[in-house]
Amino acid sequence: MLEYLVAIVDEGSFTRAAELLHVSQPALSHQVGALERDFGGPLLERLPRAVRLTPMGRAVLPHARAALAGAERARCAARPTP
């Protein structure tokens, strides 16, 4: 779900993030809602044609990016070397 948050922020919209992630926009919205419930508040402010991070979202985003980078490093470390 952190990947979804980062994609929305990077793309600037739910629609473009859903396209990038190959998921439907309602599914993306549902997952972000679940993430916001886990964190206890809104991470994104939904505007008519854009999204903006809330203060909580700004606090969470660097940790989300770090977690995703760490997961990628773990995947790379687990790959067998030739």
Side-chain angles (χ1 to χ4, degrees):
M1 284 192 282
L2 293 175
E3 180 181 10
Y4 288 2
L5 173 65
V6 170
I8 293 165
V9 171
D10 288 350
E11 294 299 314
S13 84
F14 277 77
T15 302
R16 288 193 303 269
E19 290 169 358
L20 176 75
L21 296 165
H22 305 288
V23 298
S24 70
Q25 192 275 331
L28 179 63
S29 293
H30 177 77
Q31 291 299 314
V32 170
L35 187 62
E36 289 176 326
R37 285 189 296 281
D38 287 347
F39 279 102
L43 300 171
L44 298 165
E45 182 181 353
R46 285 111 170 124
L47 303 170
R49 297 195 183 270
V51 294
R52 182 170 45 205
L53 285 167
T54 64
M56 184 185 295
R58 284 192 296 277
V60 168
L61 185 62
H63 300 284
R65 290 189 191 279
L68 293 172
E72 180 59 26
R73 286 191 301 275
R75 277 191 290 278
C76 289
R79 289 187 187 123
T81 56

